[in-house]
Amino acid sequence: MEAKPKIRLIGVDLDGTLLTDEKELCSGLEETLKKARENGIYIVPVTGRPFQGIPECVRGLDVIDYVICSNGASIIDAKSKKRLYSFSMSNEKSREVFSVLKAARCIFEPFADGVCYTEQEILDSYIGYFKGSPVEEYLRSTRVICKSIEALFTEEGKQADEFFVMSENKAEREKITAALDKIGGVQYWFYDDRYIEITKEDCDKGAALKTLCRHLGVSESETMAFGDGDNDLSFLAAAGVSVAMGNAPERIKEKADIIADTNNNNGVGKMIEKILDN
């Protein structure tokens, strides 16, 4: 019988996967990640967040060498903070998406330059919505206030890595995505029945994982991916071994090779320990 490839890279989603619902690491998880890196395994956060939106409990880990951010729009060298690869929208496409979202009168924020730009009114709206939750502190510590989101693209020539949209109205979400389909050149995911994440066409976590593997000389068969959401599906499909979290919806679990424990019960850490014991 042919031996299974050794795991050399572990890609792991953050929210709902590596992080607990309180946006923290489970007890003992940092030690497990350190042990994995000492065994030659790359630990790569793979997230929809921009780089500056990654919590310090993750960014501060010495074992992190690379990070895939903004749903695959950028690959960052975690030590130098430099971007290795970029899959941003063009400025023209960024302006087109902006126009769609502005016409829909929804709440949205662009990710660019490794940060999330927002206007004060939008931040205040989010803070009011998430007041008293762990998300409130995340919002306060990661948003960069600008006078005008429109000016970022019309005057400063920014290229968006991602647009993050909040819309609790299903009809409104369908109207937005129909308009996005019409302009083309982008793709999107739904999250938690209230959010839409928009990136450049063919830019996703799975494509970014393949790019990083080529950069490191790691075979895709030597990778393991952990995820819990729809934006993780391409990522799970690209990896040699796919792991869905115990808290993931059934449609995600059906696509995975293995089901781990939940994010609040150290599912990632327990699975990595099993790998190290083999």
Side-chain angles (χ1 to χ4, degrees):
M1 182 180 294
E2 185 178 349
K4 292 182 180 179
K6 179 181 178 181
I7 298 300
R8 296 179 57 201
L9 185 152
I10 294 175
V12 58
D13 173 55
L14 294 185
D15 299 288
T17 303
L18 189 71
L19 298 173
T20 68
D21 292 347
E22 295 300 313
K23 308 305 178 185
E24 299 171 342
L25 297 177
C26 287
S27 176
L29 179 52
E30 182 174 349
E31 290 74 17
T32 297
L33 297 178
K34 181 178 179 180
K35 190 190 307 182
R37 192 67 191 95
E38 288 173 347
N39 277 268
I41 301 174
Y42 290 103
I43 304 297
V44 182
V46 183
T47 179
R49 299 187 187 207
F51 185 70
Q52 292 299 324
I54 297 173
E56 183 58 31
C57 67
V58 176
R59 277 200 293 139
L61 294 172
D62 289 338
V63 300
I64 304 298
D65 297 302
Y66 304 96
V67 182
I68 294 173
C69 303
S70 301
N71 280 314
S74 63
I75 301 176
I76 306 293
D77 183 311
K79 300 295 192 294
S80 68
K81 310 296 190 293
K82 293 181 179 179
R83 193 180 279 219
L84 296 179
Y85 294 93
S86 177
F87 307 94
S88 303
M89 301 177 200
S90 66
N91 174 257
E92 180 182 5
K93 186 59 62 177
S94 299
R95 286 188 280 114
E96 285 185 292
V97 175
F98 170 83
S99 296
V100 167
L101 300 177
K102 182 180 179 181
R105 298 180 180 275
C106 59
I107 296 174
F108 66 93
E109 301 167 305
F111 296 174
D113 310 322
V115 303
C116 176
Y117 288 101
T118 194
E119 296 173 3
Q120 188 64 54
E121 184 179 359
I122 294 174
L123 179 59
D124 291 343
S125 175
Y126 270 135
I127 295 299
Y129 192 92
F130 292 105
K131 190 71 175 177
S133 75
V135 178
E136 180 184 356
E137 176 54 33
Y138 162 66
L139 292 169
R140 292 187 184 279
S141 63
T142 60
R143 265 46 182 177
V144 173
I145 303 298
C146 63
K147 290 184 179 180
S148 166
I149 289 176
E150 183 170 11
L152 293 177
F153 304 108
T154 58
E155 297 175 17
E156 298 185 38
K158 298 287 188 187
Q159 294 180 256
D161 290 332
E162 177 182 331
F163 283 89
F164 187 77
V165 183
M166 181 176 180
S167 174
E168 296 187 275
N169 184 288
K170 182 179 179 181
E172 181 182 69
R173 292 196 301 273
E174 291 176 347
K175 183 178 180 180
I176 291 170
T177 54
L180 292 174
D181 289 339
K182 186 174 181 179
I183 66 171
V186 297
Q187 60 185 7
Y188 48 81
W189 301 269
F190 298 102
Y191 174 65
D192 204 23
D193 291 330
R194 69 167 70 109
Y195 304 114
I196 310 171
E197 296 177 299
I198 307 164
T199 65
K200 179 181 178 180
E201 188 176 36
D202 298 326
C203 166
D204 55 46
K205 292 182 176 184
L209 177 66
K210 293 178 181 179
T211 299
L212 182 58
C213 283
R214 289 194 295 271
H215 176 81
L216 296 174
V218 173
S219 168
E220 293 165 28
S221 65
E222 298 174 310
T223 65
M224 173 177 277
F226 289 82
D228 75 308
D230 289 319
N231 64 341
D232 295 318
L233 287 173
S234 66
F235 172 46
L236 296 175
V241 180
S242 56
V243 184
M245 301 304 292
N247 47 284
E250 286 303 316
R251 65 181 181 277
I252 307 300
K253 293 178 180 177
E254 291 172 357
K255 301 293 185 179
D257 299 317
I258 302 171
I259 310 301
D261 207 333
T262 67
N263 64 315
N264 290 326
N265 203 27
N266 200 24
V268 171
K270 290 177 180 178
M271 190 60 62
I272 293 177
E273 289 288 352
K274 288 183 179 180
I275 295 172
L276 297 175
D277 288 340
N278 290 338

